[in-house]
Amino acid sequence: MDKSIYDLAHNLTEKYFNDCMMSVMGAKVVDNCMYVKGGDNGFPHTRAHVKVDLTTNEIVEHYGARDCPVLVTEETYE
């Protein structure tokens, strides 16, 4: 786990996922974007992804559980 990516993912998206009643579960940096996975562990569980532009630190895209173009593994920050 990369602690700096973990911290950045939480700082940039935690409020968004908290508002959706989810928590940050993993992140992956590709080029100049960070893809962050969020979810809850209810039954049935919910998963979602956001894309963050790292030049502006803004969320620029939202994805559902299965339509994110990047595989983000839970509990992995790379």
Side-chain angles (χ1 to χ4, degrees):
M1 176 173 78
D2 187 325
K3 179 73 169 139
S4 62
I5 293 175
Y6 174 91
D7 290 340
L8 187 59
H10 281 266
N11 289 339
L12 296 177
T13 65
E14 193 163 43
K15 180 181 179 342
Y16 171 83
F17 284 120
N18 281 344
D19 289 347
C20 297
M21 300 179 76
M22 296 183 213
S23 56
V24 177
M25 303 183 84
K28 186 175 214 173
V29 174
V30 177
D31 296 326
N32 205 29
C33 295
M34 177 184 288
Y35 294 84
V36 183
K37 182 177 199 171
D40 67 14
N41 288 323
F43 182 80
H45 64 268
T46 303
R47 297 291 187 263
H49 299 78
V50 293
K51 177 182 177 181
V52 177
D53 181 336
L54 294 176
T55 58
T56 64
N57 291 337
E58 297 288 325
I59 295 173
V60 294
E61 192 81 34
H62 305 263
Y63 304 101
R66 293 183 175 84
D67 60 346
C68 183
V70 173
L71 177 63
V72 180
T73 307
E74 291 179 19
E75 305 207 14
T76 301
Y77 296 84
E78 52 189 15

